[in-house]
Amino acid sequence: RMNHEQSRALYDRALSVLSGGVNSSVRATRPYPFFVEKGDGGHVIDADGNRYIDFVMGYGPLLLGHSLPEQVQSAIQQHAAEGPMYGAPTEVEVELAEFVTRHVPSVEMLRFVNSGTEATVSAVRLARGYTGRDKIVVMQSGYHGAQESTLVEGEGDHTAPSSPGIPESFAEHTLTVPFNDKEAAHEVFEEHGDDIAAVLTEPILGNYGIVHPVEGYHDTLRQLCDDHGSLLIFDEVITGFRVGGLQCAQGAFDIDPDITTFGKIVGGGFPVGAIGGKSEIIEQFTPAGDVFQSGTFSGHPVTMAAGLETLRYAAEHDVYGHVNDLGERLRAGLQDILEDQAPEYTVVGRDSMFKVIFTRDGPDSLEGQCEAGCQQQESCPRFEYCPKTGHDVTQAETERWERLFWPAMKDQGVFLTANQFESQFICDAHTGEDIENALEAYKEAI
């Protein structure tokens, strides 16, 4: 068995000076987290020298893995050496904005910020300012960062804050519908359409398992927003530059949102967020318009350089071909394992995202099931059983996943996101051998 003495000692120290011993709640794995010393390609090495295949990838930002290619590395070092930041514009933020607007279909203009949360906070404020309306529609169990307007629970207009510290009055302006429920979307617009500033959704739910949209769901949202003068906001913090390659998920699904939020990959492993969209909307931000938005570290030159060179490298070296191919091999291999060992479980994911959801029920026969992960095809025998909403994922065997399966995978040297809800990711540095080794570990742990 692996030795974790150093990690245990570090966690002991951390508990004295960091709330819960961590700086992001999801990192507090039981009984204590392992502390990472360094990354190496598609692997991490912990404080005790244990080596793991890394499918967490920083929770998504590390498209290229830990060992950055020369062109990315040198751009980061050059910008850091020239002075950390200036409080003035730099050319590299213009270049990154030009790259994004060139490749993402709906994005004509951008504003860079420092986190995915900051991007969604700003996008919600922008939508309200642009439309002059207050209400926002979000998906039940959708996640849009640690922000007051979307930390809600409940159904329809019967919502309440999902965390202490948020006044009840905040939740009054947030309406919820289940993801993939076209009828619920129609109902909420029938009742509140004139007051709805925007619908905010992830193209694929990425923090509640990985829930793929059913055929036509996003088209329904687009149509409802058009009919009622509301904005459609795609939160592509997770899917941006991962699903659908450089065109992002909106290109893959052929949907034209009004506003898109970005984070993770667009900063190449450094703190980042961005709000993109139609020029007439994004221009409502100060100083061009009246919707206040500002930030000391926004457009940080080191982050901008890391993001730009990461995306350039991905474009020039067929990174998406490689990671998507590995993703398909891994998901197909997982389906084979589950067919033998746990046919009720569901493999989910797309491109370089993947997860196994410990669903409780499945069909009698799996003949003709979606290949390499759930795509919500009505012809699939699993269609009635696979998760359609975040709530469906919460009904799966989440405790078994977290308490038994995650530690078993860790003991075999595979680092997965800490619970059944968070996506897992493949990077360019992963190899076919990593996939084979991971599949062996799954076989053992399941």
Side-chain angles (χ1 to χ4, degrees):
R1 288 179 66 81
M2 290 180 176
N3 173 24
H4 294 292
E5 276 174 37
Q6 292 296 326
S7 283
R8 188 191 168 98
L10 284 166
Y11 190 54
D12 197 13
R13 283 169 57 193
L15 285 169
S16 301
V17 287
L18 296 171
S19 173
V22 291
N23 282 305
S24 184
S25 53
V26 77
R27 297 177 195 162
T29 50
R30 299 185 183 101
Y32 51 87
F34 64 80
F35 279 63
V36 173
E37 191 167 283
K38 62 179 179 181
D40 177 23
H43 298 77
V44 288
I45 295 150
D46 72 13
D48 292 277
N50 302 309
R51 186 181 177 88
Y52 307 86
I53 301 171
D54 179 10
F55 290 130
V56 176
M57 285 293 132
Y59 283 83
L62 303 180
L63 178 64
L64 305 180
H66 297 284
S67 307
L68 295 175
E70 173 59 35
Q71 74 185 68
V72 184
Q73 191 95 20
S74 59
I76 292 166
Q77 286 165 346
Q78 182 197 329
H79 282 273
E82 289 167 351
M85 48 86 79
Y86 314 109
T90 59
E91 184 180 2
V92 69
E93 65 199 89
V94 181
E95 289 181 313
L96 180 53
E98 287 169 343
F99 187 101
V100 174
T101 57
R102 205 162 49 241
H103 289 95
V104 185
S106 74
V107 176
E108 299 167 359
M109 188 172 273
L110 285 155
R111 170 64 56 90
F112 286 109
V113 292
N114 301 291
S115 69
T117 290
E118 197 181 337
T120 59
V121 168
S122 303
V124 166
R125 187 185 313 135
L126 179 62
R128 287 173 166 154
Y130 181 77
T131 60
R133 302 172 179 182
D134 289 338
K135 292 197 184 300
I136 301 288
V137 177
V138 298
M139 304 301 122
Q140 288 168 19
S141 309
Y143 180 69
H144 305 287
Q147 66 138 314
E148 271 68 1
S149 291
T150 61
L151 286 174
V152 300
E153 54 197 10
E155 289 182 26
D157 50 14
H158 302 293
T159 55
S162 61
S163 167
I166 300 173
E168 290 283 334
S169 54
F170 274 79
E172 282 170 27
H173 301 298
T174 306
L175 309 165
T176 66
V177 295
F179 191 64
N180 280 328
D181 190 332
K182 297 177 193 176
E183 207 172 300
H186 276 283
E187 281 169 19
V188 84
F189 269 94
E190 267 164 43
E191 200 168 333
H192 301 282
D194 295 343
D195 300 319
I196 293 171
V199 174
L200 172 58
T201 184
E202 299 169 90
I204 293 170
L205 290 192
N207 268 76
Y208 261 74
I210 299 171
V211 182
H212 209 269
V214 297
E215 179 88 27
Y217 182 64
H218 292 320
D219 296 295
T220 298
L221 297 180
R222 178 69 276 176
Q223 191 62 54
L224 285 167
C225 287
D226 289 344
D227 292 348
H228 292 86
S230 310
L231 302 182
L232 178 61
I233 307 174
F234 261 15
D235 177 345
E236 292 230 40
V237 169
I238 292 176
T239 56
F241 302 105
R242 186 170 284 282
V243 171
L246 295 175
Q247 61 175 351
C248 304
Q250 58 192 259
F253 291 131
D254 194 22
I255 298 290
D256 189 42
D258 301 294
I259 299 173
T260 303
T261 59
F262 299 99
K264 301 194 189 284
I265 288 174
V266 84
F270 289 80
V272 75
I275 308 98
K278 310 297 178 200
S279 300
E280 64 176 283
I281 300 172
I282 304 298
E283 279 185 323
Q284 301 303 311
F285 279 137
T286 51
D290 297 326
V291 178
F292 184 75
Q293 203 292 316
S294 213
T296 299
F297 293 99
S298 296
H300 193 288
V302 177
T303 298
M304 299 291 99
L308 178 62
E309 292 305 331
T310 292
L311 293 176
R312 279 180 176 162
Y313 183 89
E316 291 158 11
H317 294 85
D318 192 28
V319 164
Y320 294 109
H322 176 66
V323 294
N324 295 352
D325 177 53
L326 291 182
E328 194 148 319
R329 279 167 61 184
L330 181 53
R331 288 189 301 273
L334 288 171
Q335 280 187 320
D336 290 344
I337 292 166
L338 295 185
E339 210 164 319
D340 289 341
Q341 293 177 228
E344 70 279 14
Y345 291 177
T346 308
V347 179
V348 294
R350 180 176 177 138
D351 292 358
S352 58
M353 295 169 65
F354 72 98
K355 196 86 181 180
V356 175
I357 308 293
F358 285 14
T359 37
R360 294 170 189 269
D361 297 302
D364 295 335
S365 164
L366 296 173
E367 202 165 314
Q369 67 174 329
C370 294
E371 283 176 35
C374 169
Q375 300 289 313
Q376 304 289 9
Q377 290 168 1
E378 285 190 43
S379 59
C380 174
R382 283 191 191 274
F383 187 72
E384 298 302 319
Y385 301 91
C386 63
K388 301 283 182 293
T389 67
H391 177 73
D392 290 346
V393 180
T394 65
Q395 298 307 296
E397 295 183 342
T398 57
E399 288 292 309
R400 170 176 285 184
W401 203 104
E402 209 169 306
R403 291 171 184 269
L404 298 177
F405 172 69
W406 189 88
M409 291 295 280
K410 185 189 81 166
D411 288 345
Q412 294 184 86
V414 180
F415 179 31
L416 303 178
T417 44
N419 54 45
Q420 183 163 251
F421 303 110
E422 307 268 359
S423 303
Q424 288 153 191
F425 306 95
I426 288 166
C427 76
D428 192 47
H430 283 131
T431 64
E433 190 184 350
D434 291 329
I435 301 305
E436 292 311 312
N437 291 340
L439 288 170
E440 286 304 315
Y442 271 95
K443 208 176 278 183
E444 190 72 29
I446 285 174

